[in-house]
Amino acid sequence: MAYNIGFISLGCAKNRVDTEIMLGCLRRAGYNLTNLPEEADLIVLNTCGFITAAKEESIAAILEAARLKKTGRRVKILVAGCLAQRYGRELLAEMPEIDGVMGTGLVPEIVAVAHQVLAGERPMAVLAAGYEYPSSGARVLTTPGYSAYLKIADGCDNHCTYCAIPGIRGPYRSRPQAEIIAEARTLCAQGVRELNLMAQETTRYGIDLYGRYKLADLLTRLEQIEQCRWIRLLYCHPDSLTEELIAVMADGEKICRYLDLPLQHANQRILRLMNRKGSGPELLELVGNLRRSLPGLVLRTTFLVGFPGETEAEFEELLDFMSLAKFERAGVFGFSAEEGTGAAALPEQIDESIIAERVSRAMALQQKISRELNKGLLGRELTVLAEGWDDEQSLYWGRWEGDAPETDGKVFFAAAEEVAPGEFVTVKVLDAGEYDLTGVQL
């Protein structure tokens, strides 16, 4: 009997790649994959357990899937991913709806664990974090066929005091360069035109395998793949940005002038409490140097507000920094005290209402900055990767190199003839909002 397996994938794009690997393993083993939960014999929930909100979303998804059991269907539920890695025993003990758990270290073993669950066992399959990427690299893409995430490393050694990732994902582990190139060639041969490189810290790539940062060399080799059109860098870190990397980005014809560079804060004291380096003036200098070296660069960052002990003056310093740096893209998140992290034990924990108010103020400022910068694109001709048709606006939509998939805004555009998803077109910008642009295909 060929069982039907359904998947629900939560959390970040790195988690999504794990899901795609599991889908590929199951398909090669002869299982049927279904997008309809009501048809599944087994539902695998690849969960996120990074912060409180993500954990709550994961629990809600488990309970929603469990409702299918009340319809009379004998569906099994396997909880995988970060929540399982972090709380596997607790989940099995406290949620009878769950039929098994599998941690982040056993992604390639999904077939064996699924077999156990379907056979009526209740496995607690959680070992040390981290796994060897399957040598075949076969994945079932859940992204559109023209765009894919390319995981070049996993894990993290930074141990920022607010972050639980090292405990969930293990130490930093780069994939061998030849293996990454081989997977990228396979993806591009299948129709992928946009490669989105990622890791917990993309710019750290290679230091553990080769003794030095090797992202610049990797980018040079990826650019040689003929079918590839765009290469995008996500999840970079200011401490591991090298002059060699910036030079390769400046010379690269396929490397997007886009850098995802989470900074978290600008106040030096708060950064030290976070176990991060730098200061507001140093980070402003870094931003200035990047923009001088890479004209037209779109910078994305994230900030964490409400860290324990953050004063109103220190928060205002962050706002001043944002006003000066003028990031094209920025996300602002409120501090979440995660058990097992250093920051959770710090004194002067800030009230949730104050954190929410600071998030709101920072995001309002960022929206103003984004709108102003987008207005500066009026009249520009942009290369846009078309992604679909928007019925509400009666316009096509896509992204230019300044917009990462799923995270950033869209470019809506009118066209005289039909435009297929995955097609690159030239769009003249006629209007701009806080996040999105509107124009016409030339």
Side-chain angles (χ1 to χ4, degrees):
M1 173 183 176
Y3 289 102
N4 295 325
I5 313 291
F7 263 79
I8 298 172
S9 190
L10 304 172
C12 66
K14 295 179 287 292
N15 219 35
R16 175 183 284 223
V17 171
D18 290 347
T19 291
E20 293 175 345
I21 292 171
M22 288 190 279
L23 287 168
C25 291
L26 288 164
R27 185 172 66 179
R28 289 195 301 276
Y31 287 96
N32 297 322
L33 305 179
T34 178
N35 291 323
L36 301 175
E38 61 272 16
E39 292 184 357
D41 299 294
L42 170 65
I43 296 176
V44 181
L45 291 103
N46 195 15
T47 59
C48 180
F50 179 42
I51 58 175
T52 298
K55 290 185 284 188
E56 291 173 348
E57 180 186 20
S58 294
I59 294 296
I62 294 169
L63 294 175
E64 180 65 27
R67 290 179 185 172
L68 289 172
K69 293 190 173 188
K70 298 179 181 179
T71 66
R73 183 170 181 80
R74 300 179 64 182
V75 62
K76 301 284 188 178
I77 296 175
L78 172 61
V79 177
C82 295
L83 193 72
Q85 182 70 29
R86 199 171 177 189
Y87 302 107
R89 294 192 183 280
E90 293 91 332
L91 289 170
L92 280 182
E94 298 173 13
M95 299 189 72
E97 301 92 343
I98 295 173
D99 298 292
V101 296
M102 189 186 83
T104 58
L106 291 172
V107 167
E109 308 303 319
I110 179 62
V111 173
V113 178
H115 180 76
Q116 287 181 282
V117 173
L118 290 166
E121 300 177 37
R122 201 165 184 252
M124 166 50 192
V126 179
L127 300 176
Y131 64 89
E132 291 295 325
Y133 209 90
S135 58
S136 66
R139 293 157 52 188
V140 174
L141 291 184
T142 59
T143 53
Y146 48 81
S147 178
Y149 293 104
L150 185 62
K151 186 188 286 191
I152 65 173
D154 206 350
C156 186
D157 293 333
N158 287 325
H159 297 283
C160 298
T161 59
Y162 53 82
C163 185
I165 289 297
I168 298 174
R169 288 285 179 174
Y172 195 86
R173 306 173 306 282
S174 300
R175 294 176 61 195
Q177 190 171 118
E179 182 182 301
I180 297 170
I181 297 298
E183 182 179 24
R185 289 189 183 281
T186 298
L187 290 170
C188 291
Q190 294 171 349
V192 169
R193 296 295 173 262
E194 178 187 38
L195 293 171
N196 299 286
L197 273 60
M198 61 176 191
Q200 300 297 334
E201 183 185 340
T202 306
T203 40
R204 191 179 177 85
Y205 173 74
I207 193 70
D208 55 316
L209 277 183
Y210 306 109
R212 68 181 185 90
Y213 299 128
K214 292 278 284 184
L215 181 58
D217 182 55
L218 177 63
L219 289 174
T220 299
R221 294 189 62 187
L222 288 172
E223 274 215 298
Q224 296 171 8
I225 301 176
E226 183 178 355
Q227 303 99 320
C228 180
R229 180 74 178 269
W230 280 354
I231 302 169
R232 187 185 305 278
L233 297 182
L234 304 175
Y235 304 103
C236 300
H237 194 289
D239 294 348
S240 47
L241 279 174
T242 65
E243 292 183 4
E244 181 186 16
L245 173 61
I246 302 307
V248 167
M249 290 185 67
D251 293 338
E253 296 182 357
K254 298 180 179 181
I255 304 170
C256 294
R257 291 292 172 99
Y258 179 101
L259 203 56
D260 175 22
L261 192 68
L263 299 180
Q264 308 308 346
H265 215 280
N267 175 266
Q268 188 175 40
R269 188 184 77 88
I270 294 298
L271 285 168
R272 295 302 177 274
L273 288 173
M274 291 178 171
N275 194 33
R276 295 178 70 91
K277 299 177 183 178
S279 65
E282 290 171 339
L283 294 173
L284 273 179
E285 183 180 3
L286 171 64
V287 168
N289 288 339
L290 287 171
R291 287 187 169 137
R292 283 188 291 273
S293 301
L294 300 166
L297 176 67
V298 171
L299 274 172
R300 177 174 183 82
T301 193
T302 55
F303 296 114
L304 181 64
V305 302
F307 191 85
E310 180 191 56
T311 66
E312 178 63 24
E314 289 166 336
F315 173 67
E316 292 284 351
E317 183 180 337
L318 174 60
L319 296 183
D320 291 341
F321 173 80
M322 293 173 64
S323 296
L324 291 171
K326 295 188 182 301
F327 292 97
E328 287 80 3
R329 316 277 183 263
V332 182
F333 301 91
F335 172 76
S336 173
E338 295 302 311
E339 59 185 285
T341 63
L346 288 175
E348 301 182 81
Q349 298 283 327
I350 296 177
D351 187 86
E352 290 184 6
S353 63
I354 295 176
I355 294 176
E357 185 264 346
R358 289 180 181 175
V359 169
S360 179
R361 285 166 60 191
M363 279 307 302
L365 171 61
Q366 180 56 38
Q367 288 169 354
K368 179 181 177 181
I369 293 170
S370 298
R371 187 185 306 109
E372 291 174 354
L373 293 175
N374 274 350
K375 292 292 184 184
L377 295 173
L378 292 175
R380 281 271 304 275
E381 296 179 8
L382 305 176
T383 298
V384 172
L385 172 58
E387 298 211 76
W389 171 262
D390 186 273
D391 287 326
E392 185 175 336
Q393 299 201 40
S394 295
L395 293 170
Y396 290 99
W397 67 272
R399 292 177 290 108
W400 70 298
E401 66 178 306
D403 290 324
E406 303 179 292
T407 304
D408 299 323
K410 299 177 180 179
V411 180
F412 295 94
F413 62 94
E417 298 181 0
E418 184 177 352
V419 179
E423 184 178 346
F424 286 88
V425 297
T426 301
V427 173
K428 184 174 183 178
V429 180
L430 303 177
D431 195 12
E434 295 170 357
Y435 305 113
D436 302 328
L437 304 172
T438 305
V440 60
Q441 181 188 1
L442 297 179

